[in-house]
Amino acid sequence: MYKHVALLVRQDDLSHEEFVDYWQTNHTPIAKEIEGVVRYQQVLPTDPENAEFDGIAELYFETLEELHAALGSPGSRDYDPTKDVAAEARRDVNNFLAIDERPRLIGEEIVQKDEVDSNTNGLYKHSAFLVRQEGMTHEEFVDYWQETHTPIAREIEGVVKYNTVLPTDPENAEFDGVAELYFDDLEKLYDALGSEGSRDYDPDRGKAKEAREDVNNFLAIDERPRLIGRERLVTDEG
């Protein structure tokens, strides 16, 4: 399935609480009706004061063409949809989002592990937006990530679901991929992957330690935004 992942940044004159209120109360009822959307989920930061972003919006589509028609294609943070609800949603983001500061990725989701039968509502989620090391091609990065790192990451203690998202248009994408690790307990997540306030972390044992050591082989970790949050399922027609 194809998904549009947007890292949300509020406008300067809004507090995080005001941003969330507008997003949930005003924008969400519009966004969930965007033409072609089959699943819509949101991630709210567990520690907003130390989070890099105010939230994540994830919109799923069956086809890439439907996604592009609604939300534009990679290469620009802005877009200009022509369909009715998508156009209304685009107009509404001007009321609460700093859209030029909102990174995004359009990609295809690959489920690497799933112990919850895709029921992620209410789970805690570590979303890492991956940037490859200098000197690697995107293809080399993906090969190492999928073949060498993923088998380690899926066994990190406490992980109940693990997705990877590969960009559909790598040349124009802002990131080389997204890693999504789900936990049913926030303390387990913090223990494995650190807490908000730092892009780096230092687990002291097990697969979490092995995975952290391995990222030095392919990730530019200081350039890798992340968000720790709790997922909220808005709609699912799948």
Side-chain angles (χ1 to χ4, degrees), residues 38 75 108 136 232:
V38 296
E108 186 170 9
M136 294 187 84
R232 172 178 180 257

Short mmCIF file of all heavy atoms in Angstrom, two decimals, residues 38 75 108 136 232:
data_model
loop_
_atom_site.label_atom_id
_atom_site.label_comp_id
_atom_site.label_asym_id
_atom_site.label_seq_id
_atom_site.Cartn_x
_atom_site.Cartn_y
_atom_site.Cartn_z
N VAL A 38 -7.81 5.30 2.03
CA VAL A 38 -8.37 4.06 2.58
C VAL A 38 -7.99 3.86 4.05
O VAL A 38 -8.59 3.02 4.73
CB VAL A 38 -7.94 2.83 1.76
CG1 VAL A 38 -8.51 2.91 0.35
CG2 VAL A 38 -6.42 2.70 1.71
N GLY A 75 9.16 16.00 -4.54
CA GLY A 75 9.86 17.09 -5.19
C GLY A 75 9.40 18.45 -4.72
O GLY A 75 10.04 19.46 -5.00
N GLU A 108 6.10 3.33 -0.31
CA GLU A 108 5.38 2.06 -0.23
C GLU A 108 5.76 1.37 1.07
O GLU A 108 6.94 1.19 1.36
CB GLU A 108 5.71 1.17 -1.42
CG GLU A 108 4.89 -0.11 -1.47
CD GLU A 108 5.05 -0.87 -2.77
OE1 GLU A 108 5.92 -0.50 -3.58
OE2 GLU A 108 4.28 -1.83 -2.97
N MET A 136 27.29 6.77 -0.07
CA MET A 136 26.41 5.66 -0.42
C MET A 136 25.37 6.13 -1.43
O MET A 136 24.88 7.25 -1.35
CB MET A 136 25.65 5.12 0.81
CG MET A 136 26.49 4.47 1.86
SD MET A 136 25.45 3.72 3.16
CE MET A 136 25.08 2.14 2.39
N ARG A 232 -2.98 7.16 16.61
CA ARG A 232 -4.44 7.28 16.69
C ARG A 232 -5.01 6.95 15.32
O ARG A 232 -4.71 7.63 14.34
CB ARG A 232 -4.83 8.70 17.10
CG ARG A 232 -6.32 9.01 17.02
CD ARG A 232 -6.58 10.44 17.49
NE ARG A 232 -8.00 10.76 17.44
CZ ARG A 232 -8.55 11.51 16.49
NH1 ARG A 232 -7.80 12.01 15.51
NH2 ARG A 232 -9.85 11.77 16.52
#
